Every structure is written in C-alpha cells, then in structure tokens.
Amino acid sequence: MRINPFVTTTAIGLSLLCTQSYSAQAFSNHATTLAFTPRSLSSSSSSLKSTASSSSSVVDVPTTPIAGMKPGTSGLRKKVEVWQAVDDVNKNYVENFIQSLVDTAKESNGGEMIDTVIVAGDGRYFNDEAIQIIAKVLAGNGVSNIWIPQNGIMSTPAVSAAIRRREGGKALGGIVLTASHNPGGPGEDFGIKYNEAFGQPAGEDFTDAVRRRREREQRERGIQKKVVFLCIV
C-alpha cells in the first residue's frame, strides 16, 4: 500500500455541491460558472467544510481483473448490480473500469495525466454513489480539477459543450454516467461513457485501447493490478 501525504488533489466535487445549475447553461460562456461545484474550499457549505477539515492520502489498492469488462460505443453498459458489486466476483467494478479509463487517457495524452475532467450523469439510480467512487479514483491518480454539476446531473450534450467551452476548453475529458435510452433502476441498466478533449464520444481507438488493457490484465491474472484512490480520513 502506497501512502502519499503530500498529494492534496482538488476533489471537492466529492460533496456533489454547488450553486444552482441547469444543463443548458453549459452552452453559455457567461453562465457556466453556475453549473459546477465551486473550487474554493472557503465555501459556506457544511459538507465542503467537512472535506476541507479532513486529511487525505493516496492509497494503492490491490485488485484483480474482472472478466467481461469490454467497452462498446464510447463506454460500458451493464446491469446496475454489476456496478454495485453485489456479487464478490465484481468487487471494485467501478474502480477497475475507471482506473483503466484513466490509464488509457493518460497514455493518449502523451503520458501526462489529464488535468481537468468533468463527471456527470443523467441522474439514474446509482448516479451519486458512482460519482463518489469515480472522484476518489481520479483524485488519487492526480487529476487536479474534477468538475461535478449540482447533484451530479447534466445532460450528455451539455457535458460535451462544457468540455469545449468552459474556461476556454480547459477540461480534457468527461465521464458520463448514462445508459442512454435503456431503463434505469434496480435490476436495470447503468453505464459509464467517456468523452474526449473536444467533447466527442470516445472513438474506437480509445475504447479499443481500454479493451486491450483489460485483456492484457486478464492474461496476467496472477499479477494483481492496482487501483489508486484518494482516501479521506
């Protein structure tokens, strides 16, 4: 287990807090400041104060590859219970997939960790819990800015627009929690998709790289991989 007490990556989006927001505001340069969690830890929010007063460390968590984690069109869709790891065989399912996304995004960015990522979903069942997990993994991997809209909800087109236009296109990617037209809820679908630097859905080159990474990990099952996440204590 690796602990790095000096890493204090901005992960205040863990609290899913901000001023009032609407997805449509992501299309307006002058209005997008309302659409995301404030980055200042001086916010009056009690949850943000709690986060600021907590200490944090980066932890490497040993884990094993999971079979069947093969992304399709820009991401991966499974029954929500798979993501929730109801069965032990799917332990750390969200963490494993996000770590693969992060590793692939870093590789695609010339070996440099992406600086800013938007995380948002369509509000379906398990949205809030997934965002908490995702934010910890992103922060643990060194993503400096994690932008999360109010309640973690933003339409997919709005996420794309915010990637392109918020702060002059500062975000280098977006993680979108949606299963598109498929129904949500217990026993139904949940998905995680990735949008690239211009707001476009991840192309086949990106998803193929994720798939190859997963397959390589499957072949090396005897070697435990690691998920890195930010631990708030």
Side-chain angles (χ1 to χ4, degrees), residues 3-176:
I3 303 295
N4 186 345
F6 301 106
V7 176
T8 55
T9 303
T10 304
I12 56 177
L14 291 170
S15 305
L16 302 181
L17 297 169
C18 71
T19 53
Q20 188 175 19
S21 72
Y22 300 93
S23 292
Q25 289 181 320
F27 292 93
S28 170
N29 280 333
H30 68 272
T32 52
T33 53
L34 297 178
F36 294 87
T37 304
R39 290 196 236 168
S40 171
L41 290 178
S42 62
S43 168
S44 60
S45 163
S46 60
S47 293
L48 281 177
K49 288 179 180 178
S50 174
T51 302
S53 63
S54 301
S55 61
S56 62
S57 60
V58 175
V59 181
D60 283 343
V61 178
T63 184
T64 54
I66 301 172
M69 194 178 285
K70 181 180 178 180
T73 305
S74 77
L76 182 67
R77 185 178 70 242
K78 295 285 183 180
K79 293 299 181 184
V80 68
E81 286 78 12
V82 174
W83 294 104
Q84 291 175 307
V86 172
D87 298 323
D88 287 343
V89 69
N90 294 320
K91 184 178 180 180
N92 296 323
Y93 201 91
V94 174
E95 292 91 332
N96 270 276
F97 186 64
I98 295 301
Q99 187 66 53
S100 292
L101 282 183
V102 169
D103 290 342
T104 304
K106 179 179 178 179
E107 185 179 282
S108 300
N109 194 40
E112 295 291 330
M113 180 54 63
I114 51 179
D115 176 75
T116 302
V117 178
I118 297 173
V119 183
D122 59 12
R124 67 181 55 224
Y125 183 73
F126 192 56
N127 192 74
D128 288 1
E129 295 89 339
I131 289 178
Q132 297 285 335
I133 296 169
I134 291 167
K136 289 178 182 179
V137 176
L138 292 177
N141 278 273
V143 177
S144 299
N145 300 291
I146 303 167
W147 292 347
I148 299 175
Q150 183 182 22
N151 299 320
I153 298 174
M154 179 170 273
S155 70
T156 301
V159 172
S160 295
I163 291 172
R164 292 194 304 271
R165 301 185 62 178
R166 178 173 167 81
E167 295 191 16
K170 181 179 176 65
L172 295 179
I175 295 174
V176 186

Side-chain angles (χ1 to χ4, degrees), residues 212-225:
R212 289 192 299 270
R213 187 178 298 277
R214 302 301 312 170
E215 290 174 349
R216 183 170 66 250
E217 290 163 356
Q218 277 299 117
R219 292 194 299 271
E220 300 170 353
R221 288 188 66 89
I223 303 175
Q224 287 187 322
K225 68 171 291 188

